[in-house]
Amino acid sequence: MICKFPLSLIFNFEQIHLANHHLKMLDEIIKLSKTNKIDKLVIISTQRKNSKKGLSENRAIEVKKYLKKNYFNTNKYEIVLKEGNEDKIFFKVEEKPN
């Protein structure tokens, strides 16, 4: 089963650092991972066309570092970078079959 996780991280224009409200959302993903229900997490990072090159990737790296620091199994995720209308990261979760 693949579902869109109901969390997304919206960034201010040209910002890459995680704010406190971002960390609270990431903590929800970490909690879910500890229930052992996540088979794979896809981190999808978008940036506007006119943004500095590499912002999308750097945001995804910040998310990855936070997850890893908080013992999320980082072997079970994939990062996808896309161009979009917002500076945003959202998640897709592949759940383990019952």
Side-chain angles (χ1 to χ4, degrees), residues 9-98:
L9 310 178
I10 306 294
F11 289 83
N12 292 332
F13 186 66
E14 304 292 320
Q15 177 187 344
I16 65 166
H17 299 291
L18 298 172
N20 284 335
H21 63 279
H22 294 143
L23 301 181
K24 288 178 185 177
M25 291 184 205
L26 290 173
D27 288 341
E28 291 299 314
I29 292 172
I30 291 165
K31 279 184 203 173
L32 181 63
S33 75
K34 290 183 179 175
T35 66
N36 214 21
K37 291 183 180 177
I38 293 180
D39 195 42
K40 184 177 181 183
L41 176 70
V42 181
I43 301 167
I44 301 160
S45 184
T46 63
Q47 74 178 55
R48 300 174 204 183
K49 244 184 207 181
N50 58 346
S51 293
K52 288 182 193 171
K53 187 178 179 183
L55 278 174
S56 182
E57 183 176 9
N58 288 332
R59 288 186 187 112
I61 288 168
E62 289 296 308
V63 168
K64 176 183 169 180
K65 281 195 253 181
Y66 185 81
L67 292 174
K68 188 173 183 178
K69 178 180 155 191
N70 289 283
Y71 307 106
F72 183 86
N73 182 352
T74 53
N75 294 325
K76 293 188 174 194
Y77 70 76
E78 171 187 350
I79 294 175
V80 177
L81 307 174
K82 294 183 177 183
E83 200 171 86
N85 296 325
E86 292 183 281
D87 294 321
K88 170 177 160 176
I89 289 184
F90 61 99
F91 305 91
K92 286 186 181 173
V93 174
E94 293 182 18
E95 296 182 31
K96 287 184 178 175
N98 290 335

